[in-house]
Amino acid sequence: MKVLTAADVRRTVSMPAAIDAVREGFLELAAGNFVLPARQIFGDGTVLVMSAYHSPTGTAVVKKIGINLSQVPAIRATVIWTGGGEQLVADGTSITTLRTGAVVGVATDLLAPPDATRLTLIGTGAQAADQVRAVLAVRRIATVTITGRNEARATALAEALATEFPSVTFTPTTSIDEAIATPDIICCATSSTTPLFDADALPQTVHVNAIGAFRPTMRELPRNLLATASLVMVDQRDAALEESGEIIDALAAGAVQEADLLELGQALTTSPNPTGRTVFKSVGIGCQDWSIARALAEH
């Protein structure tokens, strides 16, 4: 058995490699090559168990997640990979942030304007940095606005990322309204239970990623954005219908129809041509963890 720490995960799989791995994982999902049991939820969402089985290779991954929104990091997890006669146990917290960033990279590469240069990040928690790393891996971003309720945390994250990406200008702020007025891309990574903004405050052309809300009681995106977006993409329709507060709310209000939700795997095989405002909503599914674990196992 091989045991990998968070440092091992980061040293082995870069963000561009993670994006490639997750893209391939969603193509495999679209081809029907995964068995993905529904996520098991215990203790009102404080403990989650996710799994995925890849039929062609006979490989599988199981992840146990503990969630406490009052701690940093809020998500602490362990991933177990089995396949090819070997077993790998890895730090699941780093895998979760890496694969969540990677799926945003895949979606952004599909839907964001090719000439996008301005990114706004809303949220300064454990998921935040990998959201920025992923977008920077697929677009030539020149300016990033880091938006958080706590000015000190927003400043600290901006300074840390500026050291990592010296050619990019990072600006911290506590004003969401100012931050969303002009960007080409917005990433939402918060634990909010109410929408972070109104669609009327957004530019006419913008791509919005939302990965923070993972319970039916949580919402980052406003209903009128989902209703008016030219394209709403989800990681998996069944998962979104079960767990995404934004999608559940919009469906109940008649703002969107289930048929309007495009799955990421399908989008990768059909190459959509988006215009205006686009949305990617992710709650996270097991094939993402499998993709990163496979990359680790191969190395």
Side-chain angles (χ1 to χ4, degrees):
M1 179 187 297
K2 297 179 181 178
V3 179
L4 301 181
T5 65
D8 295 329
V9 172
R10 292 293 178 174
R11 183 169 55 250
T12 305
V13 183
S14 66
M15 180 57 75
I19 291 171
D20 290 342
V22 168
R23 182 184 292 111
E24 180 63 28
F26 273 91
L27 286 169
E28 288 292 291
L29 177 63
N33 290 334
F34 275 107
V35 177
L36 289 177
R39 176 157 42 194
Q40 294 177 285
I41 303 174
F42 305 100
D44 193 29
T46 59
V47 176
L48 310 176
V49 177
M50 302 171 63
S51 58
Y53 175 75
H54 186 241
S55 302
T57 59
T59 56
V61 67
V62 177
K63 181 170 73 173
K64 187 277 296 178
I65 311 161
I67 300 174
N68 184 342
L69 297 179
S70 65
Q71 70 183 15
V72 178
I75 297 174
R76 299 183 182 183
T78 302
V79 167
I80 301 174
W81 158 274
T82 302
E86 68 173 350
Q87 183 167 285
L88 180 152
V89 179
D91 173 73
T93 305
S94 56
I95 288 177
T96 298
T97 57
L98 182 61
R99 60 84 147 157
T100 305
V103 77
V104 162
V106 175
T108 300
D109 202 25
L110 272 175
L111 301 184
D115 58 351
T117 61
R118 296 165 296 185
L119 167 66
T120 284
L121 169 70
I122 304 176
T124 58
Q127 298 276 3
D130 277 325
Q131 296 294 295
V132 174
R133 294 181 182 116
V135 174
L136 266 59
V138 299
R139 289 294 184 271
R140 295 182 180 275
I141 299 298
T143 62
V144 179
T145 301
I146 306 290
T147 315
R149 293 177 297 178
N150 184 300
E151 184 176 2
R153 288 184 61 174
T155 299
L157 179 58
E159 290 175 348
L161 288 169
T163 300
E164 189 174 343
F165 300 99
S167 64
V168 179
T169 299
F170 290 87
T171 303
T173 182
T174 58
S175 173
I176 291 180
D177 287 344
E178 291 179 6
I180 65 172
T182 59
D184 304 301
I185 301 168
I186 297 172
C187 289
C188 304
T190 75
S191 57
S192 181
T193 57
T194 57
L196 298 171
F197 49 78
D198 188 271
D200 292 340
L202 297 174
Q204 289 302 307
T205 298
V206 65
H207 172 63
V208 181
N209 299 300
I211 60 92
F214 58 91
R215 296 173 181 167
T217 55
M218 301 169 73
R219 290 172 62 194
E220 292 184 296
L221 304 180
R223 186 188 300 166
N224 60 345
L225 173 59
L226 299 176
T228 58
S230 66
L231 190 152
V232 177
M233 188 167 71
V234 296
D235 42 14
Q236 185 189 45
R237 189 176 291 109
D238 289 347
L241 296 175
E242 182 73 20
E243 299 174 359
S244 169
E246 298 100 328
I247 300 298
I248 293 169
D249 170 78
L251 286 169
V256 297
Q257 303 299 315
E258 188 174 327
D260 296 331
L261 305 176
L262 176 67
E263 291 191 330
L264 175 54
Q266 179 186 357
L268 286 168
T269 61
T270 58
S271 300
N273 186 24
T275 59
R277 295 170 178 168
T278 57
V279 172
F280 173 59
K281 172 60 196 174
S282 175
V283 294
I285 57 177
C287 72
Q288 295 167 241
D289 300 304
W290 177 89
S291 299
I292 302 301
R294 181 182 69 165
L296 289 168
E298 288 176 347
H299 289 82

